[in-house]
Amino acid sequence: MSTTVKPGQGPGKASGTGAVRAVRTRGGLSLRLDVRAVVVGLVLLALALAAGIALIGSGDYPMTPGEVVATLTGGGDAGQQFIVQDLRLPRVLVGLSVGAAFGVAGAVFQTVTRNPLGSPDVLGFAQGSSVGALTVIVYFQAGTFAVAAGAVVGGVATGLAIFLLAWKGGIHGYRFVLVGIGASAMLYAMVLYLMTKANIVEATQATTWMTGSLSGRDWDQVWPLAAVCVVCLPLVFFYGRPLRMLEMGDDAACALGVRVDRVRVVVLLAAVVLVASATAAAGPIAFVALTAPPLARRLTRSPGPNLVPAALMGAVLLVAADWSSQQIFGADQLPVGVLTGVLGGGYLLWLLATERRAGRI
């Protein structure tokens, strides 16, 4: 049995438009289904897959979408199998995973802080990962795996430090943002210091990593990031309903039975691990975590963090940006982090102007 709630018919509505369908089983289980959000999610999933196929077909040896699909399903000659399976598929999988991780982490930070500027880019987590990676590069001259491990350690350590500094009988969103901005400034200064200590080879390696790129990614980056996503993404999705209640305020959430501090700590820790792992795999790619959640919310027109649409939007943005950079500038001529930084910077200026006109800043 199912019923449809039209807009304006009571508290069950999703938002200004679209219907909410409540599906009830004979056993009494009830599921709230936002039809528009489901449709948007399916469209974003299709776009992510299409962008991935297009990216696999791009490069010095172009392939049509039909050839890509045929090769992925076991067809194609030996050369196509090597190009797709060994060279390009890992790049796409890393891009999709990194985009999804950034999208979910951005949704978590913006929901917990109740601030559209709440993002790993702004709060210092990306800078913490950069410090960890640069420390390994400059002082230990280590390889790719050690650099990734240093980025994870730096990101997680930064997250724990911000938690401790922002904790005062709980984590308050406004205090968390202020501490994060201060930590970001200090960590950026450490990045500059480490760059002055590096020789020309180390500085080149560090600059390339800090730009953020999917070039040269292989299965060594795919499997660790996939393992983190398999653990952390379902954990955050499990807390999707409590996160939505947090947007109503701590008092209202507590009245509805939400353990506010526990929810904040769990989802923030999971988000920090996602950001650190994604940064380790592809570098500190800018602004995906900032832009994906609000874009997903504008499309779904649904309240709450919109975690699944945010993840899919992040994947679409990152893979589409990487494909666009190859089409416009040539294969691997422009790191994807440069393009997302330019587009994200424009979005940030627009967001600041919008918030100022609304009187919120």
Side-chain angles (χ1 to χ4, degrees), residues 5-73:
V5 182
K6 296 295 184 181
Q9 288 185 335
K13 65 183 179 179
S15 62
T17 62
V20 176
R21 184 174 295 274
V23 181
R24 297 183 179 87
T25 66
R26 293 181 179 180
L29 179 64
S30 178
L31 177 64
R32 179 184 178 278
L33 187 64
D34 189 331
V35 178
R36 183 185 177 92
V38 171
V39 172
V40 169
L42 292 175
V43 171
L44 289 175
L45 177 61
L47 289 175
L49 295 177
I53 291 174
L55 182 57
I56 291 175
S58 302
D60 294 330
Y61 181 82
M63 299 174 64
T64 66
E67 291 173 334
V68 172
V69 173
T71 305
L72 289 173
T73 54

